[in-house]
């Protein structure tokens, strides 16, 4: 069924949202079943550990490594600091092994560190638009990606990647997620083919229950370059209106962000 104007207003608010919970909390009608997640393996050619002597970058240093406006052609960069969660304590699951997955989708460090920074990046369609969209759905046909950077001491980055990989397996049958008093059920987790960028990369999909009326499929990727991780989580709000697959993470965005990492 098509969502009502109330759900569309919720989708507007969700542009500044932080997690699956806030997105699905906006739903007031059913959505179509999700597209099946891909199940291909998700690791780059290199799976070597981080430098044992590596020192973590500070949050301030990570802020400078986030993509800035003009550094990725075709994308608009916005600060996510006011809308994304400030702490992992704000994002909880009912299975500890699934915590790294939930943190990654909220642009939080999936591993043991407090050094992190985040923003959001969307398709810059305004600069190429030739006409005003005919309806609200067309206006929402934009991919919004939450990007998180985190840095680790020693082999912490490699351990964080392992925690995400283990979580994909352990949480295949789903898990419960709570954020800002909104509860969500992830019904399925599956690995999919990653970008292959950085020293190591992995990707996964999560099928999320849309208030008991079908599911929606969200895509996430985690990339390690040295002792720094980049997480990506994408939502297409036109797709959110209809349910189903939320859209792939733009490959050009991943390439541009990883290229800035030390």
């Amino acid at each position: 069924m098509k969502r009502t104007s109330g759900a569309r207003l919720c989708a507007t608010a969700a542009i500044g949202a932080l997690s699956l919970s806030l997105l699905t909390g906006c739903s007031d009608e059913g959505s179509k079943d999700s597209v099946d997640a891909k199940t291909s393996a998700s690791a780059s050619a290199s799976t070597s550990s981080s430098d044992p002597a590596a020192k973590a970058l500070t949050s301030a240093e990570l802020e400078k490594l986030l993509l800035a406006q003009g550094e990725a052609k075709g994308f608009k960069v916005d600060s996510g600091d006011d809308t994304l969660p400030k702490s992992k304590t704000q994002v909880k699951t009912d299975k500890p092994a699934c915590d790294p997955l939930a943190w990654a989708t909220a642009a939080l460090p999936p591993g043991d560190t407090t050094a992190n920074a985040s923003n959001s990046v969307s398709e810059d369609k305004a600069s190429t638009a030739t006409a005003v969209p005919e309806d609200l759905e067309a206006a929402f046909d934009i991919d919004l990606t939450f990007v998180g950077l985190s840095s680790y001491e020693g082999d912490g980055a490699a351990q964080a990647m392992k925690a995400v990989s283990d979580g994909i397996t352990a949480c295949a049958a789903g898990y419960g997620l709570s954020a800002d008093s909104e509860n969500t059920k992830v019904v399925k987790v599956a690995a999919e083919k990653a970008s292959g960028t950085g020293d190591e990369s992995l990707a996964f999909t999560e099928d999320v229950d849309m208030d008991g009326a079908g599911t929606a499929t969200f895509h996430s990727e985690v990339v390690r370059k040295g002792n720094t991780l980049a997480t990506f989580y994408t939502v297409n709000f036109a797709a959110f209106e209809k349910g189903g697959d939320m859209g792939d993470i733009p490959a050009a965005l991943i390439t541009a962000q990883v290229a800035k990492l030390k």
Side-chain angles (χ1 to χ4, degrees), residues 71-91:
E71 293 183 334
K73 185 177 180 180
F75 294 95
K76 179 180 178 181
V77 179
D78 294 297
S79 171
D81 293 347
D82 294 333
T83 56
L84 292 169
K86 304 298 183 184
S87 170
K88 294 178 182 179
T89 60
Q90 296 176 257
V91 181

Side-chain angles (χ1 to χ4, degrees), residues 56-131:
L57 299 174
T58 65
S59 295
E61 289 172 323
L62 290 172
E63 286 280 358
K64 295 178 181 179
L65 294 178
L66 286 167
L67 283 175
Q69 184 62 35
E71 293 183 334
K73 185 177 180 180
F75 294 95
K76 179 180 178 181
V77 179
D78 294 297
S79 171
D81 293 347
D82 294 333
T83 56
L84 292 169
K86 304 298 183 184
S87 170
K88 294 178 182 179
T89 60
Q90 296 176 257
V91 181
K92 301 178 181 179
T93 74
D94 60 1
K95 297 179 183 178
C98 306
D99 286 348
L101 307 185
W103 294 332
T105 63
L108 289 165
D112 186 14
T113 185
T114 58
N116 66 290
S118 61
N119 65 3
S120 60
V121 183
S122 59
E123 295 175 287
D124 187 7
K125 290 190 174 181
S127 61
T128 58
T130 57

Side-chain angles (χ1 to χ4, degrees), residues 151-163:
S151 188
Y152 303 79
E153 299 283 348
D155 67 349
Q159 292 300 317
M161 291 293 288
K162 183 178 185 302

Side-chain angles (χ1 to χ4, degrees), residues 130-246:
T130 57
V132 176
E134 294 182 359
D135 55 34
L136 187 59
E137 183 173 324
F140 273 130
D141 190 14
I142 296 174
D143 291 328
L144 175 70
T145 302
F146 297 106
V147 181
L149 299 182
S150 55
S151 188
Y152 303 79
E153 299 283 348
D155 67 349
Q159 292 300 317
M161 291 293 288
K162 183 178 185 302
V164 175
S165 180
D166 290 346
I168 293 172
T169 300
C171 306
Y175 63 93
L177 171 65
S178 176
D180 282 3
S181 300
E182 293 286 350
N183 297 317
T184 298
K185 177 62 178 178
V186 178
V187 298
K188 178 183 176 182
V189 177
E192 69 173 351
K193 185 176 181 180
S195 63
T197 55
D199 298 320
E200 187 178 1
S201 61
L202 55 83
F204 59 95
T205 59
E206 293 177 303
D207 288 2
V208 179
D209 179 74
M210 300 296 279
D211 292 341
T215 59
T217 300
F218 295 84
H219 298 259
S220 299
E221 178 155 351
V222 184
V223 179
R224 179 177 69 81
K225 188 170 182 180
N227 65 328
T228 298
L229 298 189
T231 63
F232 304 87
Y233 168 71
T234 292
V235 178
N236 179 285
F237 289 97
F240 178 75
E241 283 281 288
K242 302 174 182 178
D245 196 283
M246 294 297 107

